[in-house]
Amino acid sequence: MQRLTLSALILLPLVAACGGESGSSSVGSKPGSAASVAGVRWSVDSLTLDGKSEQAPDSAYVKITKGGEVDGNFGCNGFGTTATVEDDSIRFGNARSTDMACDDVPMSFEESLRRTLGDGPLKAETSDGKLTLTSDSGDKVVLSEEAPAQLYGTTWKVTSLVKDGTARSLPSDSADKAWFTFDKKEGRLSGILGCNRVSADATVRDGQLTLGTPGTTRRMCDGSLMDTERTLLELFKSEVSYEIDHRTITLTSENGEGISAVASK
């Protein structure tokens, strides 16, 4: 498992934005043009390189503000950069990125997505809630307009463990196995801790979550699966604060430990 200090950033060599070039501008909102992508969070669906398509991880996204600021995620690592519009194309600038190796996301995908976004300007086409970015070489990124996730009724897939502002990716044998969901009518949390199923009363009030005594199955699993379960079960021992950032939720206990999860597509 790799550790990530959330404030740690590194520079990645995307092509620099050239705001002073003829025909370029800040990202606006003119319908039917590349500028119309601003203000929307776009979930990355797939990446096509040399005619071969690859599905993107759930956490990969790109969001461009009307002022041309960009934040996103390559699938594991978050990044920030700038964007300019040149007619029907978008050019991304130099990016700063976190530096974490995630067991559940191939670093080759992250590198490919980073290079494709840097291979600008990219032709931008929007249709029926879809955005397609195409490079001069024919490589393509397909994205979908992404609505914010709701606390209730969403399947939240656990992606990392958090302690004192530091995130730690799940072990490879736990990746994609731990998830939970909230049922508003029943007032309960249910899910899988990585190995065993869990269910507990859940009371939500003013950004705080109180979990009752958990009921779990009694299956024994090897290695880090049980370690992950023990860590997740610690959340049931105190009042937990929660924060939703579009499609990511963070649960933090009183001792500063917690988890981060992303809404499944």
Side-chain angles (χ1 to χ4, degrees):
M1 293 184 291
Q2 301 293 321
R3 291 180 181 269
L4 162 68
T5 302
L6 295 182
S7 60
L9 297 174
I10 60 172
L11 288 174
L12 292 177
L14 294 186
V15 178
C18 301
E21 294 180 2
S22 176
S24 65
S25 66
S26 296
V27 179
S29 58
K30 182 180 178 182
S33 71
S36 64
V37 305
V40 176
R41 174 159 163 154
W42 297 97
S43 173
V44 181
D45 295 335
S46 63
L47 173 64
T48 301
L49 296 176
D50 300 323
K52 182 179 179 181
S53 294
E54 184 176 0
Q55 199 73 15
D58 287 346
S59 53
Y61 77 91
V62 176
K63 183 175 181 180
I64 306 173
T65 70
K66 293 184 179 181
E69 297 297 319
V70 180
D71 72 84
N73 191 291
F74 291 126
C76 168
N77 287 287
F79 71 91
T81 184
T82 58
T84 57
V85 172
E86 300 168 326
D87 299 322
D88 65 347
S89 298
I90 298 175
R91 183 188 294 272
F92 292 95
N94 288 335
R96 293 192 305 271
S97 171
T98 55
D99 186 22
M100 179 169 68
C102 295
D103 294 325
D104 57 334
V105 178
M107 299 311 292
S108 58
F109 179 89
E110 290 220 343
E111 177 63 18
S112 296
L113 180 58
R114 179 188 66 79
R115 282 186 296 155
T116 302
L117 292 179
D119 190 14
L122 302 171
K123 184 178 180 180
E125 298 177 291
T126 57
S127 177
D128 298 326
K130 293 282 188 179
L131 167 64
T132 302
L133 302 176
T134 307
S135 69
D136 288 341
S137 61
D139 294 332
K140 187 177 299 184
V141 183
V142 178
L143 310 94
S144 295
E145 187 172 346
E146 190 177 62
Q150 302 299 311
L151 174 65
Y152 296 105
T154 298
T155 297
W156 298 101
K157 185 177 70 174
V158 180
T159 55
S160 60
L161 308 176
V162 180
K163 183 176 181 180
D164 299 328
T166 298
R168 185 176 76 246
S169 63
L170 296 182
S172 57
D173 57 357
S174 300
D176 293 323
K177 293 184 175 67
W179 60 269
F180 58 91
T181 187
F182 294 100
D183 186 312
K184 186 175 184 179
K185 182 178 180 180
E186 298 294 330
R188 291 187 69 78
L189 172 151
S190 59
I192 294 179
L193 298 170
C195 175
N196 287 287
R197 291 189 172 274
V198 64
S199 181
D201 291 335
T203 303
V204 180
R205 183 180 294 111
D206 300 327
Q208 298 293 315
L209 173 65
T210 302
L211 297 174
T213 302
T216 66
T217 54
R218 291 292 184 265
R219 180 184 174 193
M220 291 300 295
C221 297
D222 295 331
S224 57
L225 275 176
M226 298 308 297
D227 292 337
T228 299
E229 289 212 355
R230 283 189 285 270
T231 300
L232 294 177
L233 282 171
E234 288 295 319
L235 292 174
F236 292 84
K237 296 183 178 180
S238 65
E239 190 174 68
V240 176
S241 63
Y242 75 92
E243 181 178 357
I244 297 177
D245 181 8
H246 203 80
R247 297 187 67 81
T248 299
I249 189 171
T250 302
L251 305 182
T252 308
S253 64
E254 294 171 335
N255 63 7
E257 296 185 357
I259 62 172
S260 182
V262 63
S264 294
K265 295 180 181 177

